[in-house]
Amino acid sequence: MAMLVGSVLHLSPLVLATTTTKPFLQNQTERTQAATTNTVSSLSPITSLKNCKTIDELRMFHRCLTKLVARSCDLGTRESLSFAKEVFDYSEGNGESYGSCFMYNSMIRGYASAGLCDEAILLFLRMMNSGISPDKYTFPFGLSACAKRRAKGNGIQIHGLIVKMDYAKDLFVQNSLVHFYAECGELDSARKVFDEMSERNVVSWTSMICGYARRDFAKDAVDLFFQMVRDEDVTPNPVTMVCAISACAKLEDLETGEKIYAFISNSGIEVNDLMISALVDMYMKCNAIDTAKRLFEQYGASNLDLCNAMASNYVRQGFTKEALGVLNLMMESGIRPDRISMLSAISACSQLRNISWGKSCHGYVLRNGFESWDNICNALIDMYMKHHRQDTAFKIFDRMSNKTVVTWNSIIAGHIENGEVDAAWETFKIMPDKNIVSWNTIIGALVQESMFEEAIEVFRSMQSQEGVNADGVTMMCIASACGHLGALDVAKWIYYYIEKNGIQLDVKLGTTLVDMFSRCGDPESAMSVFDNLANRDVSAWTAAIGAMAMAGNAERAIELFNEMIELGLKPDGIVFVGALTACSHGGLVQQGKEIFNSMKKLHGVPPEDVHYGCMVDLLGRAGLLEEALQLIKDMPMEPNDVMWNSLLAACRVQGNVEMAAYAAERIQVLAPERTGSYVLLSSVYASAGRWNDMAKVRLSMKEKGLRKPPGTSLIQILGKTHEFTSGDESHPEMPKIEVMLEEITEKASHLGHVPDLSNALMDVDEKEKIFMLSRHSEKLAMAFGLISSQKGTTLGIVKNLRVCSDCHSFAKFASKVYNREIILRDNNRFHFIHQGKCSCGDFW
């Protein structure tokens, strides 16, 4: 638009035409010109400019015009500014310029105050082009327009003029520069001007403090506030106090917030409504709800801003009924709710799932003309989508003239909440603009639907979008997807991406990464992330304990549990599940009993059914079936099907047919649709050679429409996931896989491998059983991995079911024959197999 070249502001011909020839409102030109001539003529005995015979008369004429322009600008309406512009242009008529610095200042200030910042900046440029030198008032007015417009380039040019024209030491000008840079987010530049000031007043400090507070540098804002009251003879004004209190609210720093409140009380600063609203907001965000309530009651419900602060924070903290209570109080007190009030009310109705109240809010919005506000419409869309009223939500959406990215995000989130992931995906694809929330929402939905590979592909697509950078939420979703896939190469890339892009590794993301690496069979990386985490909470310790448990390192898992206790962290039920699971996988019966008994006695955590289930699993794996059964009978709650299934699985390992049948009967009563129990029982019968009983179980499954889930295994080769299903020979590399399977079988047999036929759950001859075992999904994946990867490469295989004993033995021999590390992850734990030995010690 305008550029500084040297010390002169140059205008383009288009700008010149716009600023010098066109009237402000074209349809008012003739009327306003006539009014201007008549008004100017009536201001003095001089009837027109041509009648001015002396220099004094000219000066008087000019003073009248100047006062008229200034007063019109003071009114600040579009009509008064239009009139001022016509008078201003008239003063430059007849080929002679009578414009003055004062008139320009009035016009620039008027436009900037009215929010017509582009016009104000153009007037500043026109002034420079007319050869009229700005003074110390012109620059602040121009900078004010640049600050409101966020016109950083124009403001920097004005700063250059300030330095060149030697106004850089003026306090008024310096304050305007600090405010301009702070509003434009250039806090380093603002601080540089601030630090170089030889004199500062309350405006200087307030501009800098507010700049920090509004730009998420809340700690800097608080530090600067206390520096001001400690080192400077400056009394803060109400705006200073509001910004300082707001900074404490962002920090959720109650202690510092109360110090500022005490300063207000002791310094005699007059408390106004905005300060009270800021204090209430601060106390609510710091979870000091009772104090916020007392302030609210003390200063009454007659303050709209105070009511809005209270209601919005109630909604944020999930106290939706209380938020609506504030709205009712407003209505009873005669306060008319505004758009912000209704935004809180609609959000409260959305959370409460109360469509009746929501419709009432919608009616109020329509009666008061609030439907033109984007945020209101977005909230209504969200509410109706959550109430499964998509048709109404779409009507609001279609009527919106300004569909922002938030609007589209509300539609996508609503589809996802209603389980319509396909519809959410189609909406996502046609969005004109997408922000990080859009991407995070759709990626999170894909992860939630177990579409892990699709989620990672969408994330890769996001990388090509300019201006969209992944954040911690993105990486938590992607890390979760990667963990479920067990893709170690992708996991390492994700961690590298986080480090490369400087994404903050907070405790939530760090915990997700610990879980990701543990699921991908890399416990060392998992513990490395954990060890480098600051402010580790219980969830982080739980993830680390779980990582060690899955890796078969039960001793280290218990050490971590004890370390957490020693640090004074209070364990929750989830931590105890991890610790008991570690004992179960490691066969640590005595430690498991001690931990279980300490739950209620030492830590005040009453055992739930899941903890009893862990103990049943622990005792059952250790062969203590009678003790496990007695524990079930002595439980203070009714045992569920999961509990009995743990006992049934232990019976399968121990070969106790009678107890297995008893457990299966209990399961069929509690959860007759549970397929796994039928499969386990049939496996027990098959191992005992009771084929008729096994056939009866299978027939019962068929009659009930139950099907055993097929065993599937995944293996990643060169970044591509290959899936194998037991008995399925459709893979394009199947001929080569068969050859490799025969080779492994022959070499393993020379080393002593004998197929465990008890895992072949069919009453067929031995040869057929051996063939069926050879087509288990983990063996197919293993053979494919050996023919598709370089020598020495670790093979990582993920199975959806428990790995059978024959495949476990087969993998141990294969690792020794081919000198490969094989990592088998089933639905229960990891098996790290190397040189014929497994991390589980054959106890799983």
Side-chain angles (χ1 to χ4, degrees):
M1 183 176 70
M3 296 297 293
L4 266 177
V5 181
S7 62
V8 182
L9 280 163
H10 293 274
L11 298 173
S12 68
L14 178 60
V15 171
L16 283 169
T18 302
T19 58
T20 59
T21 63
K22 290 185 179 180
F24 188 74
L25 295 173
Q26 293 182 14
N27 59 348
Q28 294 183 350
T29 303
E30 295 180 2
R31 175 173 59 81
T32 308
Q33 283 180 342
T36 303
T37 304
N38 293 336
T39 304
V40 171
S41 298
S42 66
L43 287 172
S44 71
I46 307 167
T47 57
S48 70
L49 180 61
K50 292 182 179 179
N51 292 337
C52 295
K53 303 298 184 182
T54 66
I55 189 63
D56 290 336
E57 291 177 343
L58 286 171
R59 286 171 178 161
M60 185 181 298
F61 181 85
H62 185 251
R63 281 197 297 272
C64 293
L65 292 178
T66 300
K67 290 178 182 178
L68 182 59
V69 168
R71 181 60 188 141
S72 298
C73 290
D74 286 341
L75 293 177
T77 66
R78 274 189 171 268
E79 188 176 6
S80 68
L81 288 170
S82 173
F83 180 70
K85 180 72 163 50
E86 294 295 343
V87 175
F88 180 75
D89 290 341
Y90 179 85
S91 73
E92 294 192 340
N94 300 313
E96 295 186 52
S97 175
Y98 291 93
S100 67
C101 181
F102 181 81
M103 291 179 79
Y104 270 106
N105 286 350
S106 298
M107 292 292 295
I108 295 169
R109 174 176 55 82
Y111 278 119
S113 298
L116 302 171
C117 301
D118 287 334
E119 289 85 346
I121 294 170
L122 287 173
L123 275 167
F124 185 95
L125 300 173
R126 175 176 169 181
M127 177 181 180
M128 297 300 299
N129 191 65
S130 299
I132 298 174
S133 295
D135 60 14
K136 66 178 183 179
Y137 301 105
T138 318
F139 292 118
F141 298 151
L143 287 170
S144 176
C146 293
K148 289 182 178 179
R149 183 68 176 80
R150 303 293 192 271
K152 187 166 65 175
N154 292 107
I156 291 172
Q157 293 178 58
I158 292 175
H159 190 179
L161 277 175
I162 289 169
V163 173
K164 188 170 184 66
M165 299 181 72
D166 201 25
Y167 284 103
K169 300 296 183 183
D170 182 85
L171 178 61
F172 189 27
V173 173
Q174 289 174 321
N175 284 344
S176 298
L177 283 169
V178 172
H179 174 72
F180 157 71
Y181 281 120
E183 286 296 298
C184 291
E186 297 292 324
L187 293 176
D188 289 340
S189 298
R191 189 59 188 259
K192 184 178 180 182
V193 175
F194 179 82
D195 289 340
E196 291 174 354
M197 294 175 69
S198 57
E199 177 189 359
R200 303 186 189 101
N201 60 13
V202 66
V203 176
S204 322
W205 289 92
T206 301
S207 295
M208 198 68 237
I209 290 168
C210 291
Y212 279 136
R214 290 168 183 163
R215 292 286 174 171
D216 294 330
F217 289 89
K219 188 177 185 307
D220 298 273
V222 172
D223 292 343
L224 197 62
F225 171 80
F226 283 109
Q227 181 185 339
M228 177 187 72
V229 299
R230 182 181 63 247
D231 300 338
E232 300 284 334
D233 187 21
V234 176
T235 302
N237 62 24
V239 179
T240 324
M241 303 311 306
V242 168
C243 289
I245 296 166
S246 299
C248 292
K250 286 185 177 181
L251 292 171
E252 297 183 8
D253 186 347
L254 180 60
E255 182 180 355
T256 305
E258 291 192 322
K259 286 181 181 178
I260 293 177
Y261 189 19
F263 175 84
I264 295 172
S265 302
N266 297 332
S267 62
I269 297 174
E270 184 179 354
V271 177
N272 62 18
D273 292 342
L274 288 176
M275 289 167 65
I276 293 299
S277 298
L279 282 166
V280 167
D281 181 67
M282 184 270 294
Y283 279 117
M284 290 292 284
K285 284 187 168 63
C286 294
N287 208 31
I289 298 174
D290 290 340
T291 308
K293 283 181 179 178
R294 282 197 299 271
L295 268 177
F296 182 69
E297 292 167 0
Q298 179 183 348
Y299 286 89
S302 59
N303 183 313
L304 178 61
D305 290 330
L306 182 56
C307 289
N308 285 343
M310 201 72 185
S312 63
N313 276 286
Y314 271 140
V315 171
R316 186 180 64 85
Q317 297 196 19
F319 299 119
T320 47
K321 290 184 179 178
E322 289 81 354
L324 292 174
V326 173
L327 186 69
N328 287 332
L329 184 62
M330 290 170 63
M331 303 290 281
E332 292 171 2
S333 303
I335 301 176
R336 189 179 185 83
D338 64 0
R339 298 176 301 181
I340 297 173
S341 315
M342 296 315 300
L343 192 59
S344 297
I346 295 166
S347 299
C349 295
S350 182
Q351 290 183 31
L352 279 172
R353 297 293 199 272
N354 193 312
I355 189 64
S356 177
W357 291 352
K359 286 181 176 180
S360 297
C361 290
H362 192 181
Y364 185 92
V365 165
L366 294 174
R367 289 193 300 274
N368 291 273
F370 294 160
E371 72 275 12
S372 60
W373 201 35
D374 296 339
N375 285 356
I376 288 285
C377 289
N378 294 338
L380 287 169
I381 288 171
D382 177 70
M383 181 192 71
Y384 282 117
M385 290 295 281
K386 284 180 177 176
H387 286 92
H388 308 290
R389 304 293 180 91
Q390 289 96 324
D391 290 346
T392 307
F394 292 145
K395 286 178 182 177
I396 297 171
F397 178 81
D398 292 337
R399 285 197 298 264
M400 289 180 68
S401 58
N402 181 34
K403 297 179 180 67
T404 65
V405 67
V406 177
T407 312
W408 288 90
N409 287 345
S410 298
I411 293 289
I412 292 174
H415 278 312
I416 291 168
E417 185 155 343
N418 291 324
E420 302 164 347
V421 176
D422 289 341
W425 176 245
E426 292 303 318
T427 304
F428 177 81
K429 288 193 293 185
I430 64 172
M431 283 178 70
D433 296 298
K434 302 176 181 71
N435 61 9
I436 186 61
V437 176
S438 319
W439 290 96
N440 286 348
T441 302
I442 200 68
I443 290 172
L446 293 171
V447 172
Q448 187 177 331
E449 292 295 311
S450 300
M451 301 171 69
F452 305 121
E453 290 188 78
E454 291 84 349
I456 292 174
E457 283 304 310
V458 171
F459 174 67
R460 293 184 189 277
S461 299
M462 193 184 90
Q463 307 309 300
S464 62
Q465 303 298 310
E466 291 186 10
V468 179
N469 298 314
D471 59 10
V473 176
T474 322
M475 302 318 299
M476 284 176 64
C477 292
I478 295 302
S480 177
C482 179
H484 282 91
L485 288 172
L488 182 57
D489 290 343
V490 180
K492 290 179 177 179
W493 171 76
I494 287 170
Y495 188 58
Y496 169 76
Y497 180 93
I498 290 170
E499 288 189 321
K500 179 184 176 184
N501 291 278
I503 297 173
Q504 183 182 1
L505 192 62
D506 59 16
V507 68
K508 289 184 178 180
L509 178 56
T511 300
T512 307
L513 291 177
V514 172
D515 183 67
M516 174 190 74
F517 277 122
S518 69
R519 286 174 176 270
C520 292
D522 189 354
E524 290 184 5
S525 294
M527 294 310 298
S528 175
V529 174
F530 173 77
D531 291 337
N532 290 319
L533 271 181
N535 303 318
R536 292 176 292 200
D537 61 7
V538 174
S539 62
W541 285 92
T542 302
I545 292 168
M548 291 295 94
M550 288 183 72
N553 193 344
E555 290 79 6
R556 180 57 183 148
I558 302 307
E559 285 176 6
L560 287 167
F561 176 78
N562 292 329
E563 286 175 24
M564 184 192 75
I565 301 297
E566 290 172 4
L567 288 171
L569 290 172
K570 181 176 175 57
D572 58 15
I574 301 174
V575 175
F576 282 108
V577 171
L580 292 173
T581 300
C583 293
S584 178
H585 287 176
L588 306 178
V589 177
Q590 187 57 39
Q591 290 95 320
K593 288 181 177 181
E594 290 174 359
I595 290 172
F596 181 77
N597 292 330
S598 74
M599 288 182 64
K600 183 68 179 293
K601 292 179 181 178
L602 298 181
H603 304 290
V605 179
E608 299 177 11
D609 50 7
V610 65
H611 303 107
Y612 281 97
C614 289
M615 287 303 296
V616 170
D617 186 61
L618 168 64
L619 296 170
R621 287 172 185 270
L624 304 172
L625 294 179
E626 293 295 337
E627 188 175 346
L629 179 59
Q630 190 60 46
L631 180 65
I632 293 176
K633 292 179 178 180
D634 294 341
M635 283 173 54
M637 69 280 291
E638 281 295 319
N640 58 24
D641 60 299
V642 177
M643 200 91 55
W644 289 110
N645 200 68
S646 294
L647 182 63
L648 177 56
C651 293
R652 161 76 174 86
V653 175
Q654 305 300 331
N656 191 321
V657 180
E658 287 73 21
M659 192 178 290
Y662 175 70
E665 287 177 8
R666 302 307 306 152
I667 295 170
Q668 289 170 20
V669 171
L670 295 169
E673 75 289 345
R674 186 176 183 124
T675 307
S677 63
Y678 291 92
V679 175
L680 277 173
L681 183 59
S682 65
S683 177
V684 172
Y685 286 139
S687 298
R690 293 169 57 170
W691 301 109
N692 289 337
D693 290 329
M694 189 201 80
K696 290 178 182 178
V697 174
R698 291 299 175 98
L699 180 61
S700 177
M701 287 180 64
K702 187 175 182 181
E703 289 174 348
K704 294 177 181 178
L706 302 177
R707 295 185 61 188
K708 175 183 178 294
T712 58
S713 295
L714 305 177
I715 185 171
Q716 274 217 345
I717 302 294
L718 299 176
K720 184 179 179 181
T721 301
H722 298 263
E723 182 174 357
F724 294 88
T725 302
S726 294
D728 183 12
E729 300 184 351
S730 62
H731 195 279
E733 297 294 326
M734 196 60 203
K736 295 180 180 179
I737 291 173
E738 287 181 330
V739 172
M740 176 54 70
L741 281 172
E742 291 175 3
E743 181 181 310
I744 301 170
T745 301
E746 182 180 351
K747 291 183 177 181
S749 64
H750 288 310
L751 295 176
H753 172 62
V754 177
D756 184 355
L757 301 183
S758 65
N759 291 280
L761 306 182
M762 294 291 287
D763 186 15
V764 293
D765 61 35
E766 182 176 308
K767 186 176 181 181
E768 186 67 19
K769 287 182 178 180
I770 292 174
F771 177 80
M772 290 169 58
L773 289 175
S774 72
R775 293 304 186 265
H776 277 194
S777 64
E778 53 265 61
K779 287 181 180 175
L780 295 174
M782 199 183 310
F784 176 73
L786 288 170
I787 65 175
S788 305
S789 61
Q790 296 181 350
K791 291 182 179 180
T793 304
T794 298
L795 300 182
I797 299 168
V798 180
K799 188 178 181 183
N800 66 328
L801 304 174
R802 184 177 181 272
V803 62
C804 78
S805 58
D806 182 68
C807 289
H808 187 262
S809 174
F810 189 81
K812 290 199 298 181
F813 279 103
S815 73
K816 190 171 184 179
V817 169
Y818 296 96
N819 193 25
R820 297 281 196 109
E821 181 177 7
I822 299 173
I823 302 175
L824 270 175
R825 169 185 156 192
D826 62 16
N827 64 348
N828 201 26
R829 66 177 300 164
F830 271 98
H831 300 270
F832 297 91
I833 303 170
H834 184 63
Q835 286 297 316
K837 294 182 179 180
C838 181
S839 60
C840 73
D842 296 338
F843 182 85
W844 83 99

